[in-house]
Amino acid sequence: MKQMILLSSLFSLAVAFAGCGGDDGDPVVNEVSITASMENIDAGAEGGTYTIQVTTTGQEWGAYADQDFVTVQTQGATSQQGSLSVTVAANPYTEPRTATVTLMSANARKTIAVTQAAATEAAYNAPAGYQLVWNDEFNTGSELNAQDWTHEVQGSGWVNNELQNYVNHRSPDGSLVTEVRGGKLLIHCFKENGKVYSGRVYAHVNEGWQYGYFEASIKLPTGKGTWPAFWMMPVANDWSTNPWPMCGEIDIMEEVGVVPNEVSSSIHTQDYNHTKNTQKTHAMTIDGAEGNFHTYALLWTADDITTYVDGKEQLHVTKAQLGSGHNQWPFHYAFYLIFNLAWGGDWGGMQGVNESALPLTMEVDYIRVFQKK
């Protein structure tokens, strides 16, 4: 997305009139020029900020960058002399990258080329050929960014006979069900005035992603009755014509406190789902899944779905195995990401719940989405 900084209109022209001596009387437009103290930025992999002096014969000027890893800020853009600050973010990839900064003044344009060296070691764990397209490290603010995240609001019993009430940020008495603190997303579950409240949040619910590598670091809570999950559902689904499970569901990680530290992955389709006992699922016991951070990931392509726990393969299913029809393989459109902490329900409460475990918290250290270049 281009970042454009314009402090006033860039389309005013310095016009000088030639007087009455011309044959047609048309005005003469003066040419506007722009000069910059640097025409090339050669950044290291660690990134940095560069200050460029800008001079123009126009009355005002502005600038923008054509890549997100470069940001620009102007000073003195309403005068003929000013400065431009160009910030290049650290390169997380083992390949160099380039960008262009464009200066504008009236009808004049000048470009500054930005090249950045490759990192010696990739900052992110992703398959070869995949590039980071979105992430949230939960390092800023005290609550989720509303441009990226949406809270579900539903009462108890909405699905799976679960006992929690999902609310937007806060319970009726003002207690937080989600917060960003200490570089983590915290999803809280607690009892208040006789009701249990918790959080269920969606990332990019209106756009989602079709295929990619999705990875989160999660610490699970402890207690009989807990049902934390990291999963995906289809974007803008028409439930009347494409109901669950026909629409598809991808469960990257689920765990119930009644079976501590056993994490599972599943997919659900019309022909393969738990109501028929035909769902494709795999579970493994992970030492310290409750109480410690572990990495849960999904690699989703047009032809197969693979989930991982700490880099170890968990579930692997292919379209060739299940069938290419929609009832067998509905994973051909965009899905959005979900984090939630349920309480009780058909699975989480299959042996009852232990309310003395409340309050409790599911923690997410980061969520990262990668897609093929």
Side-chain angles (χ1 to χ4, degrees), residues 263-266 280-284 313-316:
V263 296
S264 67
S265 295
S266 307
K280 299 301 179 182
T281 188
H282 185 270
M284 66 170 72
E313 184 176 301
Q314 164 85 295
L315 174 71
H316 179 66

Side-chain angles (χ1 to χ4, degrees), residues 147-201:
Q147 293 182 335
D148 294 325
W149 297 93
T150 304
H151 283 76
E152 181 64 83
V153 178
Q154 294 288 347
S156 61
W158 172 49
V159 290
N160 305 317
N161 297 307
E162 295 165 15
L163 303 177
Q164 80 287 332
N165 295 269
Y166 288 131
V167 291
N168 186 3
H169 290 288
R170 296 178 181 272
S171 68
D173 281 0
S175 300
L176 292 169
V177 295
T178 64
E179 63 174 320
V180 174
R181 176 161 49 88
K184 311 288 190 299
L185 164 62
L186 308 179
I187 302 178
H188 302 300
C189 183
F190 52 86
K191 194 168 186 179
E192 179 182 279
N193 297 326
K195 292 184 177 181
V196 175
Y197 294 93
S198 189
R200 172 166 163 158
V201 292

Side-chain angles (χ1 to χ4, degrees), residues 309-345:
V309 181
D310 294 333
K312 181 180 179 180
E313 184 176 301
Q314 164 85 295
L315 174 71
H316 179 66
V317 291
T318 71
K319 182 163 64 174
Q321 292 170 339
L322 302 189
S324 59
H326 184 74
N327 284 353
Q328 298 83 39
W329 193 263
F331 309 111
H332 49 77
Y333 36 56
F335 279 56
Y336 59 90
L337 288 162
I338 306 170
F339 291 108
N340 72 284
L341 176 53
W343 180 248

Side-chain angles (χ1 to χ4, degrees), residues 238-255:
D238 185 343
W239 301 105
S240 64
T241 60
N242 194 34
W244 187 93
M246 183 186 296
C247 63
E249 175 181 327
I250 304 172
D251 298 326
I252 304 169
M253 183 284 302
E254 292 183 281
E255 189 249 17

